[in-house]
Amino acid sequence: MIHAIDTARIKREWFSNVRGDLLAGIVVALALIPEAIGFSIVAGVDPKVGLYASFCIAVVTAFVGGRPAMISGATAAMALLMITLVRDHGLEYLFAATVVTGLIQVVFGIAKLGRYMRFVPKSVMIGFVNALAIMIFLAQLEHFQGAGLGVMGLVIAGLAIIYLFPRLTRVVPSPLVAIVVLTVFAVFSGIAFRTVGDMGALPSALPFFGLPMVPFTLETLMIVLPYAFPLALVGLIESLLTANIVDDLTDTPSDKNREARGQGIANVVTGCFGGMAGCAMIGQSIINVGSGGRTRLSTLMGGVFLMAMILLLGNLVQLIPIGALVAVMVMVSINTFDWSSLPGMLRHPKSDTIVMLATVGVVLWTHNLALGVGVGVVLSALFFSRKIAKLIEVDSELDAAGRTRTYTVLGQLFFVSTESFLASFDVTEDVDEVVIDLSHAQLWDGSAVAAIDKVVLRFRGRRTRVSLRGLNDASTKLLTSLAMHDRPGSRLGGGH
């Protein structure tokens, strides 16, 4: 029975879409080449470092990752964090930081921190996606500088093929057709287009295993840890958010904790094979899914075809005009952007729109996806707290004798709502007893308990008896643990 289940799972995750995965893998490999080279240049390292990273990470995550069809490799967000380390300490310390980054991510995965991704609101997700789409598009503009109208024409022709060819047939992915057609045109037209070969020397051999050549001391750890920890966080945030996007595109679930562990294992392996730290690549993942990739086989083939093209077809790959790959990346940016979010700003709550725009703005300003997501989550929490605070309500009723006032509290009492809560009590009223009914309320934090203390002690200061009733178990436990109004030394302390 177990064997049958394993066989079915392996077939579903690996061999349920062989043709689509193979074709998608070719397209992804072609798209990975300029990206890996470009990100290597950003980090200040040789192009082969980024290419080896994209190969190793793609292959490893195909087996141990938690999101089939997602592509991982060298990324801009990670490369930006490496610049200072490479400049100040050299390449070997980058490899050491990559290994430590992976170990931190494995710990995160084992601790099942991936489950906290559910706290990232939809508005932050949309902001993340839109910011990334804009960054992908802006990254292509440098290829037009001083390139003349030829490159512009090449990009326009590529986009035309990408969007019009599917009307004829979908047997072959249109981005692959665009790359082949434009490469043939560039070669036989005699026009001097900038090509992949102009971006740097391609590797001539497979990466080999070797531990980073650094002293295995506490001093080394102190050097790499300030880089490894933010690399681990950025990598996990980008990977898990990308996994959510692929979940939506394919309408299938993923294992976020397994993905966190898989990313960590991949970075440990990469650091030992001469590669830089990487993570999930939303652009390439969308290319993969859009080209028909659905299983782990597409991820594996992306990495394998990447290295095969570099080693076996390097001379041909070097002939691919950059304009053809720019066209593919522009298509990715167009497809990545959530265009429905623009008219949606008129329909959605203003708070959601502010969160989305803030996320986009911070990412574009800092080029730091993790910081943008962090700001978005904090803003969402603040807006949520403000909304919840308005839900607190305190009603009061005086008994027939006019000597006992009962206050009925409804809603959530925590640090944001305590001000409204305190303003609802009239401590100057001449009554003998005050009853605070908390049957329909929930105490959440120390600020809530402090507010209860303040109300009770104010009434007792005017010789008014106070009793609390209706507390649920969780609120009772919190009050018993933190409340001061019945402890020795509190002003007019006494029983409830």
Side-chain angles (χ1 to χ4, degrees), residues 62-81:
F63 291 95
V64 300
R67 173 62 263 180
M70 188 166 76
I71 305 298
S72 299
T75 66
M78 301 286 270
L80 290 169
L81 297 175

Side-chain angles (χ1 to χ4, degrees), residues 441-453:
Q442 175 68 51
L443 310 187
W444 286 107
D445 57 12
S447 296
V449 175
I452 296 288
D453 276 338

Side-chain angles (χ1 to χ4, degrees), residues 103-125:
L103 293 175
I104 294 172
Q105 291 176 326
V106 170
V107 171
F108 276 33
I110 293 174
K112 297 184 177 180
L113 297 181
R115 61 191 171 190
Y116 293 109
M117 282 306 299
R118 66 178 183 269
F119 294 115
V120 178
K122 183 69 173 178
S123 54
V124 177
M125 287 281 292

Side-chain angles (χ1 to χ4, degrees), residues 139-150:
Q140 310 312 309
L141 298 182
E142 66 178 73
H143 297 297
F144 294 102
Q145 296 177 1
L149 296 176

Side-chain angles (χ1 to χ4, degrees), residues 30 33 183 187 195-198 200-204 306-321:
L30 289 169
I33 293 171
T183 301
V187 170
T195 65
V196 169
D198 297 328
L202 302 180
S204 57
L306 167 66
M307 194 51 59
M309 288 178 184
I310 297 300
L311 298 181
L312 303 178
L313 304 173
N315 292 333
L316 294 178
V317 170
Q318 292 186 71
L319 299 177
I320 297 174

Side-chain angles (χ1 to χ4, degrees), residues 42-117:
V42 169
V45 298
D46 193 83
K48 68 180 181 182
V49 176
L51 290 167
Y52 283 160
S54 293
F55 165 67
C56 291
I57 295 173
V59 170
V60 174
T61 54
F63 291 95
V64 300
R67 173 62 263 180
M70 188 166 76
I71 305 298
S72 299
T75 66
M78 301 286 270
L80 290 169
L81 297 175
M82 305 171 186
I83 298 173
T84 306
L85 175 62
V86 174
R87 184 188 64 213
D88 294 347
H89 299 283
L91 185 60
E92 292 297 329
Y93 279 86
L94 172 60
F95 297 152
T98 298
V99 173
V100 176
T101 295
L103 293 175
I104 294 172
Q105 291 176 326
V106 170
V107 171
F108 276 33
I110 293 174
K112 297 184 177 180
L113 297 181
R115 61 191 171 190
Y116 293 109
M117 282 306 299

